[in-house]
Amino acid sequence: MGTLGRAIYTVGFWIRETGQAIDRLGSRLQGNYYFQEQLSRHRTLMNIFDKTPSVHKDAFVAPSASIIGDVEVGQGSSIWYGCVLRGDVNNIRIGSGTNIQDNALVHVAKSNIGGKVLPTIIGDNVTVGHSAVLHGCIVQDESFVGMGATLLDGVVVEKNGMVAAGSLVRQYTKIPSGEVWGGNPAKFLRKLTEEEITFICQSAVNYKNLAQVHAIENAKPFDQIELEKALRKKFARRDEDYDSFLGVVREIPPQLILPDNILPNKSPKPSQ
């Protein structure tokens, strides 16, 4: 970045700082509402000079997640609360329909003992469990990384591979397709069943649907949140005998009805 680029970057920085200061002043003037609104100086998307995150418009990024630098997130993917994806010294690529669950960490390698420069590449329809750590590795399509697992530099998880929760996968380990590896250090445990392979794909679909609900909720303005709180209180279910005694018929307003694909065992509504 040249002198002009740095100057423009600095001007942009101070404009944003001024805007945040005005936002904080306005919040204080709101009195008690200042403590109810979800306000934060946190930046979900952050560039490192000319390295800028690229997030598909249909992806969900939780407000408390951090996507930094040269990171690409594909269509329908979801980055959940507390996640950090730091593409500063190399790049991170995440395909479509993939979920990176709460508090997971994804980083890259500029150099290591092997002297290799390693990005982190995560394919399509991958599930990465809560608090997992992925560093300079490759996770191919429709794979599963369990909660709290750690994948070190050069690890390759082939399509339909699974890493068990809490495992440590050593550098340059390859987990073949259709196998479960686990332990510290991770070793081959057994072959995946057909039901488990199907579950991996379904897990990605479930998180894609759930992310849509979270995206809608996070987009709601403060007034709508307060209105829905009042509606929930008003239409809260009471004992049926109590309602019958009063002659009350309660109907759930459409604002409080969740999509069919979120409620388990909910039969679809008949078409008109």
Side-chain angles (χ1 to χ4, degrees):
M1 181 179 293
T3 303
L4 178 59
R6 290 181 181 275
I8 294 173
Y9 177 87
T10 302
V11 170
F13 172 81
W14 285 114
I15 290 175
R16 293 191 62 177
E17 287 293 312
T18 303
Q20 289 171 351
I22 294 173
D23 181 55
R24 292 194 296 274
L25 175 60
S27 296
R28 291 188 177 92
L29 293 177
Q30 287 181 302
N32 291 334
Y33 287 102
Y34 168 61
F35 300 100
Q36 297 179 27
E37 286 190 288
Q38 300 173 355
L39 298 174
S40 174
R41 283 173 52 86
H42 170 76
R43 285 184 285 175
T44 302
L45 303 180
M46 175 179 164
N47 62 309
I48 299 292
F49 290 110
D50 58 338
K51 295 180 179 180
T52 305
S54 174
V55 178
H56 193 280
K57 62 181 180 64
D58 292 331
F60 167 68
V61 179
S64 58
S66 297
I67 299 181
I68 303 163
D70 190 358
V71 180
E72 182 178 316
V73 180
Q75 181 178 9
S77 289
S78 53
I79 313 300
W80 291 81
Y81 304 92
C83 286
V84 176
L85 281 62
R86 181 156 58 92
D88 45 6
V89 297
N90 212 316
N91 65 81
I92 296 172
R93 297 291 178 263
I94 296 174
S96 61
T98 288
N99 59 91
I100 312 295
Q101 296 175 16
D102 314 71
N103 295 321
L105 169 64
V106 182
H107 194 224
V108 288
K110 181 178 181 180
S111 61
N112 53 30
I113 295 176
K116 294 184 178 180
V117 178
L118 299 172
T120 295
I121 301 173
I122 303 173
D124 300 336
N125 302 316
V126 174
T127 290
V128 177
H130 313 288
S131 299
V133 177
L134 280 64
H135 197 277
C137 58
I138 297 175
V139 182
Q140 295 181 0
D141 299 348
E142 298 172 10
S143 297
F144 189 100
V145 178
M147 295 182 287
T150 300
L151 279 60
L152 299 180
D153 294 1
V155 168
V156 176
V157 181
E158 294 185 345
K159 182 176 180 179
N160 293 138
M162 176 180 284
V163 179
S167 301
L168 173 63
V169 186
R170 292 185 295 186
Q171 291 182 339
Y172 302 107
T173 299
K174 177 181 287 187
I175 297 178
S177 176
E179 294 186 0
V180 184
W181 284 53
N184 182 359
K187 297 180 180 179
F188 170 73
L189 299 179
R190 59 178 175 82
K191 291 284 188 178
L192 282 166
T193 65
E194 291 298 325
E195 290 78 10
E196 288 170 330
I197 292 175
T198 302
F199 164 77
I200 291 174
C201 297
Q202 188 59 47
S203 175
V205 172
N206 292 344
Y207 259 90
K208 183 177 180 179
N209 293 336
L210 185 59
Q212 295 175 12
V213 175
H214 280 257
I216 292 171
E217 286 295 323
N218 279 286
K220 289 179 180 178
F222 177 72
D223 290 344
Q224 185 175 353
I225 293 173
E226 290 297 299
L227 172 63
E228 291 185 3
K229 283 168 60 178
L231 286 173
R232 286 190 177 92
K233 184 176 180 180
K234 179 178 180 181
F235 290 94
R237 290 187 60 83
R238 293 179 179 269
D239 182 86
E240 292 183 2
D241 292 336
Y242 177 87
D243 284 347
S244 177
F245 180 77
L246 294 179
V248 174
V249 177
R250 299 180 186 274
E251 296 182 358
I252 301 176
Q255 300 97 315
L256 303 183
I257 298 177
L258 290 173
D260 292 342
N261 57 12
I262 299 305
L263 298 178
N265 303 321
K266 180 179 178 182
S267 58
K269 299 175 184 176
S271 57
Q272 299 295 331

